């Protein structure tokens, strides 16, 4: 099982690196975090953002890259995300609705190219079967707004309490430093 999950991760990494279109659509990540649209999606009008929020509203609140990953289940290329090798103390919130999903205590270095967590805060992440890309994986979504976060892999042998790796797109997260 460990070999297959790591193999799947490497296959996906190679796919992303080969895909010119994918690289072109994500080459401005660092600039998008400073854009007006990329601010936390609890909009200036204090609109409640959840699974009932229309796609039209999401399109006005999220950058093109955020919308692609969070709403269209895209994936950022490996080792390009802001939180891959980021280890400050605090909490990681959904970039869509600000629901706290993970803590820095749950984060670990898996070397996969995306932020990795061994567990989420209780009740904040849903799991669905994802049969795309010619393989079966477990997709993880924000339980409040349905934003695509990434995938979870089990049984890879990491020295964590759950033996799971939540492989999360950095663009699906916003970080709140510990106060």
């Amino acid at each position: 099982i460990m070999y297959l999950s790591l193999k799947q991760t490497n296959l996906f990494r190679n796919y992303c690196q080969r895909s010119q279109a994918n690289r072109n659509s994500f080459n401005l990540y660092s600039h998008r975090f400073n854009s007006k649209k990329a601010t936390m999606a609890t909009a200036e009008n204090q609109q409640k953002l959840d699974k009932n929020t229309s796609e039209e509203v999401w399109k006005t609140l999220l950058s093109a890259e955020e919308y692609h990953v969070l709403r269209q289940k895209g994936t950022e290329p490996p080792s390009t995300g802001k939180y891959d090798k980021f280890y400050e103390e605090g909490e990681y919130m959904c970039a869509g609705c600000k629901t706290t999903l993970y803590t820095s205590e749950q984060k670990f270095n898996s070397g996969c190219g995306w932020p990795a967590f061994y567990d989420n805060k209780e009740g904040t992440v849903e799991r669905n079967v994802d049969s795309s890309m010619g393989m079966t994986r477990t997709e993880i979504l924000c339980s409040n707004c349905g934003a695509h976060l990434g995938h979870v892999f089990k049984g890879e042998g990491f020295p964590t309490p759950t033996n799971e790796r939540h492989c999360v797109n950095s663009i699906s997260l916003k970080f709140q430093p510990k106060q």
Side-chain angles (χ1 to χ4, degrees):
I1 293 175
M2 181 174 137
Y3 174 74
L4 291 177
S5 293
L6 291 175
K7 181 178 178 183
Q8 289 170 350
T9 299
N10 287 331
L11 285 171
F12 186 71
R13 181 178 296 142
N14 291 338
Y15 167 80
C16 288
Q17 290 170 346
R18 286 190 317 263
S19 171
Q20 184 64 39
N22 197 7
R23 275 185 298 228
N24 288 341
S25 69
F26 287 97
N27 64 356
L28 298 175
Y29 266 176
S30 61
H31 300 234
R32 294 294 183 183
F33 282 104
N34 296 323
S35 73
K36 183 177 179 183
K37 280 187 175 182
T39 58
M40 295 305 264
T42 53
E44 292 93 26
N45 63 6
Q46 297 300 310
Q47 175 180 358
K48 182 181 177 188
L49 301 170
D50 57 22
K51 290 180 183 175
N52 296 318
T53 303
S54 72
E55 291 305 306
E56 290 75 30
V57 170
W58 286 118
K59 285 178 184 177
T60 65
L61 296 173
L62 302 172
S63 70
E65 290 86 359
E66 288 172 320
Y67 186 81
H68 175 67
V69 174
L70 275 71
R71 309 308 306 169
Q72 297 177 321
K73 302 178 186 248
T75 300
E76 63 192 4
S79 304
T80 61
K82 166 178 194 171
Y83 300 121
D84 179 26
K85 292 180 172 43
F86 181 87
Y87 295 100
E88 291 184 21
E89 287 188 34
E91 296 181 325
Y92 295 85
M93 300 177 291
C94 173
C97 67
K98 290 176 47 173
T99 297
T100 301
L101 305 170
Y102 301 99
T103 66
S104 55
E105 291 81 18
Q106 296 165 320
K107 192 171 191 298
F108 70 101
N109 182 6
S110 70
C112 70
W114 292 274
F117 302 86
Y118 64 80
D119 204 359
N120 55 274
K121 292 190 82 155
E122 188 173 342
T124 62
V125 173
E126 292 178 355
R127 299 173 185 221
N128 290 332
V129 174
D130 175 4
S131 298
S132 65
M133 297 188 59
M135 62 183 90
T136 301
R137 302 176 292 170
T138 303
E139 176 189 21
I140 48 177
L141 307 155
C142 172
S143 62
N144 180 58
C145 72
H148 173 75
L149 303 172
H151 294 86
V152 64
F153 301 93
K154 295 182 179 188
E156 295 180 313
F158 288 107
T160 63
T162 61
N163 200 14
E164 288 188 347
R165 174 174 58 97
H166 293 228
C167 185
V168 182
N169 291 288
S170 285
I171 203 163
S172 297
L173 301 170
K174 297 293 180 187
F175 181 74
Q176 178 66 45
K178 188 173 184 176
Q179 306 265 329

